[in-house]
Amino acid sequence: THHRSSFRRTPTAHPPPTMGDLLVALYRLEDLKTSPSGIVIRRPFAAEKHEVATWVDERFGTGWRGEAEIALSQVPPTCFLALDEEKRLLGFACYDSSWKGFFGPTGVEESARGRGIGTALARRALSAMREAGYAYAVIGASGADEFYRATFGAQPIVDSDPGPYEGRLQSK
């Protein structure tokens, strides 16, 4: 998630696995455009903006909705959707929505998790970042550091907590 605490840690040689941001070397990644059987990964259409934003809000909250709306407003959108064979939305992945070069937010419908959809969405979004000319992607405070390390070779960015999220408005 993109929630940050106000805790500031001292830089260490081996930062804790769940604190701070991660860096992915996009130029080292192999083909990133595969998806699970029966799942279509594509960019959203402009007419789908409000429906997608509402879906994100209902499942992941207003913070991610705001970031998704930024990604959905770009031309082309800096967001990808995962749809099943009945064209139902199962997940999304955005980039360049908080800051240039940042991957996320990304999320998958709870009932669809464990099928490789999140991995496929991340692969497609990171591939789009590489195609746009980025050499690296920053994954901000993911909460899934081990996944990103194992799947994409992500490395921790030392002393990146709270990073650019410091000073963010807090909901009551």
Side-chain angles (χ1 to χ4, degrees), residues 14-156:
H14 303 286
T18 57
M19 295 188 123
D21 300 333
L22 299 173
L23 191 68
V24 176
L26 298 174
Y27 57 88
R28 291 186 180 151
L29 299 178
E30 297 176 19
D31 177 30
L32 303 175
K33 295 182 183 178
T34 59
S35 60
S37 178
I39 302 297
V40 173
I41 306 289
R42 67 163 174 81
R43 291 185 195 263
F45 301 117
E48 297 170 327
K49 177 184 176 187
H50 295 291
E51 184 177 352
V52 172
T54 299
W55 185 91
V56 171
D57 189 6
E58 290 171 353
R59 286 153 183 84
F60 303 101
T62 58
W64 281 14
R65 178 192 180 121
E67 291 179 274
E69 285 178 335
I70 296 296
L72 292 162
S73 297
Q74 304 301 312
V75 178
T78 55
C79 182
F80 288 89
L81 307 178
L83 307 172
D84 67 11
E85 293 169 340
E86 287 80 40
K87 309 277 188 282
R88 288 181 301 218
L89 182 55
L90 299 178
F92 77 107
C94 300
Y95 65 95
D96 282 357
S97 61
S98 296
W99 291 274
K100 290 283 189 185
F102 267 66
F103 166 77
T106 184
V108 174
E109 177 81 53
E110 195 169 342
S111 64
R113 293 178 187 164
R115 297 172 42 195
I117 295 169
T119 301
L121 282 163
R123 287 184 186 283
R124 186 60 192 101
L126 292 169
S127 177
M129 292 180 76
R130 183 173 64 192
E131 291 166 6
Y134 291 105
Y136 297 93
V138 175
I139 301 174
S142 75
D145 292 10
E146 290 307 316
F147 165 77
Y148 289 112
R149 286 180 186 192
T151 308
F152 301 108
Q155 297 296 314

